[in-house]
Amino acid sequence: MQQTHTAAVSDPIFEVRDVSVSFDMDRGESRVLDEVDIDIQRGEILGVVGESGSGKSMFASALLDAVVDPGVLTGDISFHPEDGPSVDLLDRSDDEDIKDIRWRQIAMVFQGAMSSFNPTMTIEDHFRETLSIHDYDVEEGMERARDLLSDLYLEADQVLGSHPHELSGGMSQRALIALALVLEPEVLVMDEPTAALDLLMQRSIIELIKDIARERDLTIVFITHDLPLVANLADRLAVLYAFEFIEVGPADDVLTGAKHPYTRALLNATPNLDTPREEMRPIEGAAPDPVNVPEGCSYHPRCPMADETCVREDPPLDGDDDAHAAACHYVERVPDEVPLTIREVTIND
């Protein structure tokens, strides 16, 4: 199991300990989240990054105790709201209790707004239904909905009166963000929320998310495979590989001085207009099968630095300080042996 990583100034809204998600399959147990430990700090924007199939979406679902059957979620997730007692999210026997926490305190924005909306309902119907289900004053909530839509640069009356298919992709995604915020949650979990949008709209929504997080004191967990996108948003980055965190640290430190060979390979493989094509390096090999994750360091079959120690021993998520940690036996050698070829990464101000 990996060691717990915490930020230097610790005020966690989530404490995640030894959390796993597994599925029983004919060919064996498929573990798609593997004993992950992390603290998520109140008010931060945490970017969770990794290749497709690395466990990002399962981590998002785990934070809401929303792993679907037949998945099995184990471990401990403590949620510390601003007001009220701490909650053990995985020890809630009453479905009404967990429903009260979801949306009211922890909301989620999924990838692809069109699949999240009911096509037979107007956008206003979605807001009213959400407010009513959670016993909110509907008319008061609709005023808040209009304010949220305006903050997201949408014409509120026009959007509320529309069906989902009548909105563009960018408009529907912003309407979904407003819907997630209408109950005034403390935490917003966003799972690839801009993946279906063009680059210009992605950048626009990222700027809107930053503004909303600041104005509404939100904690945001932003899940993506797109490092350049999250570079201009996140305060911290957590890199997933083979269903566990292999590097966690401040965004600028990770992007300019990554300590794990996988993170550096991921950066070198990222398309960048400032880096010549011949200098970009695809990551050799493939991510591991969740039924057959390698022993030792899970990255060793793809790592140019791997030796017998890496094959035998799983390195802990550790570092010289509390702020930036990496799960690698040879952190000191990584900069020389896996040099960064990228010329520039846009970093959050």
Side-chain angles (χ1 to χ4, degrees):
M1 190 180 82
Q2 298 177 345
Q3 294 183 5
T4 299
H5 170 74
T6 57
V9 178
S10 186
D11 179 21
I13 194 166
F14 279 108
E15 292 178 283
V16 177
R17 298 291 180 270
D18 199 21
V19 168
S20 297
V21 177
S22 60
F23 291 81
D24 283 332
M25 303 176 66
D26 291 341
R27 59 193 185 93
E29 181 188 55
S30 174
R31 184 167 289 200
V32 292
L33 203 62
D34 191 6
E35 298 182 332
V36 299
D37 289 7
I38 194 169
D39 287 353
I40 300 172
Q41 303 300 321
R42 192 180 313 278
E44 79 169 330
I45 301 177
L46 175 69
V48 178
V49 184
E51 294 173 280
S52 295
S54 61
K56 302 187 302 297
S57 292
M58 281 300 162
F59 178 69
S61 296
L63 289 179
L64 283 83
D65 189 16
V67 173
V68 297
D69 289 335
V72 177
L73 172 61
T74 60
D76 296 291
I77 302 177
S78 296
F79 172 59
H80 307 291
E82 187 73 37
D83 299 313
S86 297
V87 177
D88 182 349
L89 290 180
L90 305 191
D91 188 29
R92 311 288 287 183
S93 58
D94 190 333
D95 287 344
E96 288 300 314
D97 286 347
I98 194 64
K99 188 182 79 171
D100 187 60
I101 292 169
R102 293 180 193 145
W103 288 91
R104 276 180 180 262
Q105 294 177 295
I106 309 167
M108 188 163 183
V109 176
F110 295 95
Q111 177 179 346
M114 294 306 291
S115 61
S116 299
F117 287 124
N118 183 332
T120 69
M121 297 168 59
T122 66
I123 301 300
E124 181 171 355
D125 291 337
H126 286 86
F127 277 96
R128 288 185 175 276
E129 180 181 71
T130 299
L131 291 161
S132 178
I133 287 172
H134 291 275
D135 300 322
Y136 265 60
D137 183 299
V138 173
E139 294 311 317
E140 181 181 324
M142 288 308 302
E143 286 303 310
R144 187 160 58 251
R146 288 183 171 84
D147 290 342
L148 284 164
L149 291 167
S150 296
D151 288 347
L152 288 162
Y153 299 100
L154 293 170
E155 209 294 307
D157 289 336
Q158 175 192 350
V159 170
L160 290 169
S162 299
H163 285 82
H165 70 273
E166 297 176 302
L167 304 178
S168 69
M171 292 172 71
S172 59
Q173 196 66 40
R174 282 178 284 164
L176 185 59
I177 293 170
L179 181 61
L181 294 174
V182 74
L183 301 183
E184 301 181 286
E186 293 186 46
V187 181
L188 187 61
V189 180
M190 311 187 82
D191 187 7
E192 299 270 15
T194 63
L197 305 177
D198 63 60
L199 184 60
L200 185 60
M201 184 53 65
Q202 286 182 352
R203 300 298 180 187
S204 175
I205 288 181
I206 289 297
E207 291 302 315
L208 291 172
I209 291 170
K210 285 198 294 186
D211 291 343
I212 286 173
R214 182 174 59 249
E215 292 167 4
R216 298 177 183 272
D217 296 323
L218 279 171
T219 301
I220 293 180
V221 180
F222 191 96
I223 291 167
T224 183
H225 65 279
D226 191 334
L227 265 173
L229 183 72
V230 79
N232 198 35
L233 175 68
D235 302 305
R236 265 196 320 154
L237 291 176
V239 182
L240 271 168
Y241 182 79
F243 325 111
E244 60 185 4
F245 289 114
I246 52 87
E247 184 157 4
V248 180
D252 54 353
D253 290 353
V254 172
L255 291 164
T256 60
K259 294 182 176 183
H260 196 283
Y262 171 71
T263 308
R264 296 174 82 87
L266 198 61
L267 286 163
N268 287 339
T270 301
N272 188 302
L273 293 177
D274 297 311
T275 302
R277 183 175 60 182
E278 61 271 14
E279 292 186 16
M280 295 181 189
R281 297 286 184 267
I283 305 175
E284 299 294 333
D289 182 338
V291 177
N292 189 28
V293 176
E295 296 294 326
C297 174
S298 56
Y299 186 57
H300 82 255
R302 305 173 75 183
C303 182
M305 297 174 55
D307 62 13
E308 287 303 313
T309 299
C310 305
V311 174
R312 291 192 314 268
E313 300 176 18
D314 187 12
L317 183 63
D318 202 1
D320 296 331
D321 54 58
D322 288 335
H324 188 179
C328 179
H329 293 297
Y330 304 114
V331 166
E332 300 80 5
R333 289 168 38 194
V334 170
D336 291 332
E337 299 197 28
V338 189
L340 290 175
T341 59
I342 58 169
R343 298 290 176 83
E344 180 180 349
V345 178
T346 303
I347 297 173
N348 187 34
D349 294 331

